[in-house]
Amino acid sequence: MRAHIVHAHPEENSFTAAMRDTAAEELRAMGHEVTISDLYAMKFNPVLSRDDFTELRRPEHLAYTAEQRNAWYKGHLAPDIKAEADLTLAADLLVLTFPVYWFGMPAIMKGWVDRIFLSGPFYTGAAQYGAAGMKGKRALVAASLGGREHMFGPRGLHGELTTGMLRHLLWGSLGVVGYDVVEPYFAFHAPFVDAAERQAMLDRLRGHVRQVENLPVLPMPNLANFDEKFVPKA
Amino acid sequence: MRAHIVHAHPEENSFTAAMRDTAAEELRAMGHEVTISDLYAMKFNPVLSRDDFTELRRPEHLAYTAEQRNAWYKGHLAPDIKAEADLTLAADLLVLTFPVYWFGMPAIMKGWVDRIFLSGPFYTGAAQYGAAGMKGKRALVAASLGGREHMFGPRGLHGELTTGMLRHLLWGSLGVVGYDVVEPYFAFHAPFVDAAERQAMLDRLRGHVRQVENLPVLPMPNLANFDEKFVPKA
């Protein structure tokens, strides 16, 4: 198996960086090949624009997803996009390690999704969820949070974390492009816990990664319930 | 009333830019003062880092939210953050105009939230939702989408849009800092509709903005149901 880890944290000595290293170590110990993209270290550009294409099909009006498809098939993608798309497409497992900011990814990683999940190889308007390009691959989110676990759940202050606050990522991004999205791993209250608890959180992550091929997969929409324009069937 | 419009779209001739202009025109016609931050035009930096502070309280280990509080009160914020925070704090109404990418904001606007919603003036760990800094102000999301309206709702492919896919933004970001978040405005299938429908969508937006002080507000968590650490009361 080949795994691609995409990591975003502004500091190299962070707990989240230790999460990245723990995941990479465990995957290698399991015999998998691992590539890592450390977005801050790469100074990854998260801001999509017409500069993402070396040639435009229709320069007078930018239709970004149409340009993505054209550029992918004609070889007109900016080199940083092509390199990341190739690593991601070559991997059977995508792992995202990041600190949750405002119930989403840091902007540098949101922009990785904006620019790398290309219309064409990853999904199209007609090919989403189980019909999309990443079908048969797995995705694992391993994230740290400042909040405590009791703030989430049906009676929690913020409601459900996996199915609520992070629905946009787990379903709306990873799910839409076709990944089998496994149960995510969360390190709660990470900036505030002591060294023993941090080690315990890394040990739990190691166990989670070891089980990645057997972890429960989040239930995605059943395409049989929709027609070819995604209108719900009666 | 004073309104601050934050806008993100890579192209100036876009439908989303027309949404920004329509909202600004209508607010001015209502007699309000309007400021606009066009994040692409400003080349806004969306990537938070230790460079966001001209002096660090604890340089050996970056605790970002603690540094935000310290820098806000001591005057150590980077000038681009200070300028945007001042505009946002001075406004009674915040309007966000953007195209929905992956069920969230474009990365350049996600990074605006990451860097501008400062721990201290906007919220703290102990002051969230109705107890947070933006209490008494309103926020309006006006967004364009590629998807069609029938893809959303209880039986739709993507589930609920407002309470589901965009929960992270409407509740988890605007709600957490204390805004009264009004019913959002969506322009569905925007890149694909004809000129008449685009004009109709702008007219509907104008009517929505005209009603901004009377629009229904999304229900936020009731803090009376939680103790001071946000543990749910029995």
Side-chain angles (χ1 to χ4, degrees):
Chain A
M1 194 168 78
R2 193 163 161 163
H4 186 45
I5 300 178
V6 181
H7 173 74
H9 194 287
E11 298 282 311
E12 183 47 32
N13 67 354
S14 64
F15 176 73
T16 313
M19 288 174 58
R20 171 202 63 203
D21 295 342
T22 297
E25 259 176 46
E26 186 58 32
L27 288 165
R28 287 184 177 126
M30 291 160 76
H32 303 315
E33 248 186 281
V34 178
T35 54
I36 302 179
S37 288
D38 182 334
L39 301 180
Y40 270 88
M42 295 158 69
K43 300 190 195 299
F44 183 78
N45 166 27
V47 180
L48 72 77
S49 76
R50 57 171 58 215
D51 299 339
D52 292 351
F53 313 105
T54 57
E55 244 181 71
L56 285 165
R57 195 172 134 269
R58 206 184 139 210
E60 68 280 10
H61 185 87
L62 182 71
Y64 192 80
T65 56
E67 295 292 348
Q68 285 181 313
R69 289 189 296 277
N70 180 66
W72 172 255
Y73 295 110
K74 298 237 177 91
H76 296 160
L77 281 170
D80 64 335
I81 296 179
K82 180 66 166 70
E84 272 302 316
D86 285 347
L87 285 171
T88 308
L89 291 166
D92 310 292
L93 171 68
L94 174 68
V95 181
L96 302 179
T97 58
F98 62 94
V100 171
Y101 296 158
W102 299 105
F103 300 109
M105 296 169 282
I108 199 170
M109 185 178 272
K110 174 58 168 63
W112 181 89
V113 171
D114 289 349
R115 295 178 74 228
I116 305 306
F117 280 11
L118 299 163
S119 181
F122 285 78
Y123 79 105
T124 70
Q128 306 200 12
Y129 296 105
M134 300 302 101
K135 188 179 158 73
K137 300 174 186 282
R138 297 201 151 210
L140 167 63
V141 162
S144 61
L145 291 93
R148 291 169 182 271
E149 195 161 3
H150 69 242
M151 293 175 183
F152 301 96
R155 296 180 59 228
L157 179 70
H158 300 302
E160 295 288 356
L161 181 56
T162 295
T163 58
M165 283 291 184
L166 294 182
R167 184 175 174 82
H168 65 107
L169 169 60
L170 300 168
W171 274 262
S173 306
L174 298 168
V176 163
V177 299
Y179 282 110
D180 286 335
V181 182
V182 302
E183 195 60 46
Y185 174 87
F186 298 118
F188 290 100
H189 211 48
F192 309 107
V193 300
D194 63 21
E197 176 56 18
R198 284 159 86 110
Q199 188 54 54
M201 292 196 300
L202 292 178
D203 293 344
R204 283 198 295 274
L205 172 60
R206 192 180 294 276
H208 199 84
V209 168
R210 196 176 302 136
Q211 288 302 315
V212 70
E213 290 171 277
N214 310 309
L215 286 173
V217 168
L218 304 181
M220 293 293 153
N222 181 352
L223 296 179
N225 295 336
F226 302 91
D227 74 10
E228 75 293 346
K229 284 191 157 34
F230 296 126
V231 177
K233 289 182 189 166
Chain B
M1 193 168 80
R2 194 164 159 161
H4 186 45
I5 300 178
V6 180
H7 172 74
H9 195 287
E11 299 282 311
E12 183 48 30
N13 68 353
S14 65
F15 176 74
T16 314
M19 288 174 58
R20 171 202 64 203
D21 294 342
T22 298
E25 261 175 44
E26 187 57 31
L27 289 164
R28 286 183 178 128
M30 291 160 76
H32 305 315
E33 248 187 280
V34 178
T35 54
I36 302 179
S37 288
D38 182 335
L39 302 180
Y40 270 88
M42 295 158 69
K43 299 190 195 300
F44 183 79
N45 166 27
V47 180
L48 71 77
S49 75
R50 57 171 59 214
D51 298 339
D52 292 351
F53 313 106
T54 56
E55 244 180 72
L56 286 165
R57 195 171 135 269
R58 208 185 138 210
E60 69 280 11
H61 184 89
L62 182 70
Y64 192 80
T65 56
E67 294 291 349
Q68 284 181 313
R69 289 189 296 278
N70 180 65
W72 173 256
Y73 295 110
K74 298 236 177 93
H76 295 160
L77 281 170
D80 65 334
I81 296 179
K82 179 68 165 70
E84 272 302 314
D86 284 347
L87 285 171
T88 308
L89 291 166
D92 310 291
L93 170 67
L94 174 68
V95 181
L96 303 179
T97 58
F98 61 94
V100 171
Y101 296 158
W102 299 105
F103 300 109
M105 295 169 282
I108 199 169
M109 185 179 271
K110 175 56 167 65
W112 181 90
V113 171
D114 289 350
R115 296 178 72 227
I116 305 306
F117 280 9
L118 300 162
S119 182
F122 285 77
Y123 78 105
T124 70
Q128 305 201 11
Y129 297 104
M134 300 302 101
K135 188 179 158 75
K137 300 175 187 282
R138 295 200 152 208
L140 166 64
V141 162
S144 61
L145 291 93
R148 291 170 182 271
E149 194 160 5
H150 70 244
M151 294 175 183
F152 301 97
R155 297 179 60 228
L157 179 70
H158 300 301
E160 295 288 355
L161 180 56
T162 295
T163 58
M165 283 291 182
L166 294 182
R167 185 176 173 81
H168 65 107
L169 170 60
L170 300 168
W171 275 261
S173 307
L174 298 168
V176 163
V177 300
Y179 283 110
D180 285 335
V181 182
V182 302
E183 195 61 46
Y185 174 87
F186 299 118
F188 290 100
H189 211 47
F192 309 107
V193 299
D194 63 20
E197 177 55 18
R198 285 159 87 110
Q199 188 53 55
M201 293 196 301
L202 292 178
D203 293 344
R204 283 199 296 275
L205 173 60
R206 191 180 295 276
H208 199 85
V209 169
R210 195 176 303 136
Q211 288 303 315
V212 70
E213 290 170 277
N214 310 309
L215 287 172
V217 168
L218 304 181
M220 293 292 155
N222 181 352
L223 296 178
N225 295 336
F226 302 91
D227 75 9
E228 75 292 348
K229 284 192 157 33
F230 296 125
V231 176
K233 290 182 189 167

